[in-house]
Amino acid sequence: MRFVCLLLVVASFISCSTSKKNSGKLEWKLSWSEEFNYDGLPDSTKWSYETGGSGWGNNELQYYTRASLKNVEVNQGTLKLHAIHETMENREYTSARLTTRGKVDFTYGKVEIRAKLPPGRGLWPAIWMLGSNIKSVRWPDCGEIDIMEHVGFEKDSVFGTVHTKAYNHIIGTQKGKKIFIADPYNTYHIYSIEWTPERMDFFVDDVLYNHFENEHKTTAEWPFDSPFYLLLNIAVGGNLGGKKGVDPSVFPGTMEIDYVRVYTNKDSRIALH
């Protein structure tokens, strides 16, 4: 009888432990994706272009072009962004900067991108998000989520970072961490965030490396209860990417993206425009 009771107690403990472990796991459902299963320019119902050579607030050296197959193309099942050493207007390099702004934005969710990165000192590829209210409140008040940033002078490392009015790189308070990954240039890796009303978690290949919690203060610390849109780009040089100069032998530099997927749960919102 004692043995049976002991078994029941153990079984009950295991059941409770499993329940507690599983209760923290979020249930995600695929709600929006871009699989790049076509050829040509990116799907205009999903992607827009941000163009120009203004330096983009970071003293960047590239000119972002619009719908140029030299700088952006879809073929063989992937999106390819190309940074090229060529003169356009007042810039020595061209590249592409894609965005879902005006097409679709998201509030909370799991965002997942499978990509290969371009190697080379001076290249600064990024997969990131900005608050859709940027025109009315400006950066950094709108918030920024850097799902993946890589700088060519720091091989085999990527960064995941949050910027807000209270926490941003201009005042040196940004909430960022980096992680080592083996061969980001010839091997695809999955870069992702899980974004809920309470936290922002950053992953590479499902490994959590940066965690940012909602402190429940003001929008200066947590502007992440509002819609955000996605951006994909390769910058050249700049305050971060160009810290150690630009190697002219690395061009063209290509970031290749297999897919972009957004998963939602009961708290998430997606808006199509």
Side-chain angles (χ1 to χ4, degrees), residues 24-29 107-113 129 145-147 162 191-214 222 224 261-265 268:
K25 186 174 178 60
L26 296 172
E27 295 296 327
W28 299 111
K29 178 184 73 171
T107 309
Y108 315 130
K110 178 179 179 179
V111 185
E112 184 178 89
I113 301 94
M129 303 179 77
I145 307 165
D146 297 328
I147 301 171
V162 163
Y191 305 98
S192 62
I193 59 165
E194 290 187 2
W195 167 24
T196 76
E198 298 299 325
R199 60 179 172 82
M200 190 87 64
D201 286 340
F202 294 77
F203 301 83
V204 172
D205 297 329
D206 293 325
V207 175
L208 173 65
Y209 71 100
N210 191 15
H211 172 76
F212 176 68
E213 288 195 11
N214 184 353
W222 181 270
F224 303 115
R261 295 173 182 168
V262 178
Y263 300 82
T264 59
N265 63 14
S268 309

Side-chain angles (χ1 to χ4, degrees), residues 46-50 97-101 229-231:
K46 295 181 177 179
W47 303 101
S48 300
Y49 301 88
E50 293 188 346
R97 176 160 156 153
L98 293 184
T99 173
T100 65
R101 184 178 182 178
Y229 60 89
L230 279 161
L231 299 102

